[in-house]
Amino acid sequence: MRHEKKGSSLFYKVLLALLLALFLIFCYIRFGLLRPWLTNFEAAQPKHTSQQVFQELFSPADWGRVYDEAKLDGTAYQGRDGFIQSMEELTAGQELTLVETSAGLSGDRRYIVKSGSSSIAAFTLANAGQNGETLWQLDSVEMLLGQTGTVTVRTGTDCRVLVNGTELDEDCQIQRIEQVAERYLPQGIHGPQTVVWQSQASSIQQAEVTVLDGTGASLPLTYDAESNCFSVQTAEEQPSEEERAMLLGAAKIYAKYMIRQATAAQVQSYFDSQSQIYQTIRSSEIWIKNTAGHSFENENIQEYYRYSPDVFSARVIMDMNVRRGNGTTKPYAIDSTFFFHRTNSGWRAFEMTNVNVKAEILHSRLVFMNNQTEVGRLFVSSEDRSFTPPTVTPPQGQHFAGWATREQSGDSVTMTVRFQPGEDGSVRLPENHALEPMTLYAAFEPDN
């Protein structure tokens, strides 16, 4: 019995020593090896690193550091202080969130910072580990908000445009606009013409725009925030008393002639007898043959414009009430634009029309690209029913599918074919097609 107790005691001593050794090993692993290993493992996970970057840059937002990390100095964002102020105002009271997205085939991890549904910025993590080690680090930061913004400027034809201190060249002219009045003017005389300029600028800050006239003087501008468009402010001219009298007199004598209350000689006092409109008035069918009197009211002159010292036009509106022999009154609405030029006999109307001469004729710029190479550009008038784009040679095994617009969202590119030339190489436009300035890319499809 004594022998059995002695053996049992030894067994428990050995077991206790073994358990104690296991406990010491556990403690060593738990506190000596496991914690650093867990720390290293956690640091090797992109999710942990992305949250750390997000907290350092965007929660709360440190826009000054974002400006530095994104290397925005010298870009369209107009300076560090202005960027910080604009972003603070833009995101005030809004919580920024983090969303992971695809970084393509690079193996990097890309994250989008959003404010509501708007993408504000993005950053990329790259694996900087060596010898099989994984170590995610911040690689780059970019601003998504405002990086593709544009500013539009409308000026006259002889103006220079500066955006944020940089003068724009003709490549920035996307549209030229003239008015229907051009159709009625003598050769060599032109109506108001507008040039539309467009330049890249930050959409989170209003661009600094300066427009200079031909003498170098700065012109006053108006600004439309909705379209981010600046326009040269023009003063509305008014006709002189002599011109006003000729405009109202021409409208009245025309109306009176049409009811047999004026003679051809009286018409010649206001209309150029050598003009086509004078011949048209003389040959026009009379409105009413027998009258018992007439009167004019609601006389109004609008849209006055002086094209040169010797040519002007204006729209004249008035009502002529004609009394019939039976006592009733017949109203006639006069609403026409009169074009006057100076003759040896004074001012005479050489044209009259009820067409809206202020309607714009747009000449929109089209730029044609084959991959990243520009292959041509041209301006197409809104009155044109066709245009001829340049020809391109398709890659081997493919054929030309048409000219397409290109839209990119992240890494996704969508090509939409807009125009397909016919056999003669020209593009036919539908009636009333509003052609806008655009960049078109050659689209190709595989041969069957």
Side-chain angles (χ1 to χ4, degrees), residues 101-104 110 112 114 117 119 142 144 147-148 406-415:
T101 185
S102 172
R110 179 176 169 84
I112 304 295
K114 302 178 75 70
S117 60
S119 296
E142 63 177 305
L144 301 180
Q147 65 179 359
T148 57
R406 184 177 184 270
E407 295 183 6
Q408 183 167 354
S409 178
D411 296 318
S412 176
V413 177
T414 302
M415 299 278 284

Side-chain angles (χ1 to χ4, degrees), residues 150-155 160-163 166-176 195-201 365 367 374 377 379 437:
T150 58
V151 60
T152 303
V153 187
R154 293 171 63 102
T155 73
R160 297 161 53 204
V161 178
L162 290 81
V163 176
T166 301
E167 184 168 353
L168 305 186
D169 57 24
E170 288 189 0
D171 287 344
C172 296
Q173 296 181 3
I174 63 168
Q175 209 167 45
R176 298 167 185 166
V195 177
V196 181
W197 308 70
Q198 196 170 79
S199 175
Q200 287 192 349
R365 188 193 70 184
V367 177
E374 181 179 328
R377 63 175 57 196
F379 282 84

Side-chain angles (χ1 to χ4, degrees), residues 71-248:
K71 299 178 176 60
L72 297 180
D73 191 31
T75 65
Y77 288 94
Q78 302 179 39
R80 193 174 191 272
D81 293 340
F83 173 80
I84 294 172
Q85 180 181 351
S86 296
M87 292 307 301
E88 288 178 347
E89 294 175 354
L90 188 68
T91 59
Q94 302 183 38
E95 181 181 1
L96 302 183
T97 57
L98 186 65
V99 179
E100 184 174 2
T101 185
S102 172
L105 302 176
S106 64
D108 297 339
R109 300 299 177 92
R110 179 176 169 84
Y111 300 85
I112 304 295
V113 179
K114 302 178 75 70
S115 175
S117 60
S118 300
S119 296
I120 300 293
F123 63 85
T124 302
L125 302 181
N127 183 8
Q130 298 179 353
N131 301 322
E133 180 186 8
T134 301
L135 181 61
W136 292 101
Q137 292 183 352
L138 177 63
D139 181 66
S140 63
V141 177
E142 63 177 305
M143 285 300 299
L144 301 180
L145 183 67
Q147 65 179 359
T148 57
T150 58
V151 60
T152 303
V153 187
R154 293 171 63 102
T155 73
T157 55
D158 59 346
C159 294
R160 297 161 53 204
V161 178
L162 290 81
V163 176
N164 298 331
T166 301
E167 184 168 353
L168 305 186
D169 57 24
E170 288 189 0
D171 287 344
C172 296
Q173 296 181 3
I174 63 168
Q175 209 167 45
R176 298 167 185 166
I177 304 173
E178 60 183 358
Q179 296 182 350
V180 171
E182 292 286 333
R183 302 171 181 170
Y184 301 92
L185 296 173
Q187 186 175 1
I189 302 295
H190 298 286
Q193 298 183 353
T194 302
V195 177
V196 181
W197 308 70
Q198 196 170 79
S199 175
Q200 287 192 349
S202 169
S203 63
I204 65 172
Q205 286 182 293
Q206 180 173 310
E208 296 180 4
V209 174
T210 303
V211 177
L212 307 177
D213 64 12
T215 66
S218 180
L219 299 175
L221 303 174
T222 60
Y223 177 66
D224 181 7
E226 183 176 350
S227 60
N228 197 26
C229 179
F230 294 82
S231 300
V232 172
Q233 184 176 355
T234 57
E236 185 175 349
E237 293 185 274
Q238 296 296 328
S240 66
E241 289 300 320
E242 180 186 11
E243 292 167 342
R244 182 179 178 85
M246 292 301 297
L247 286 163
L248 295 176

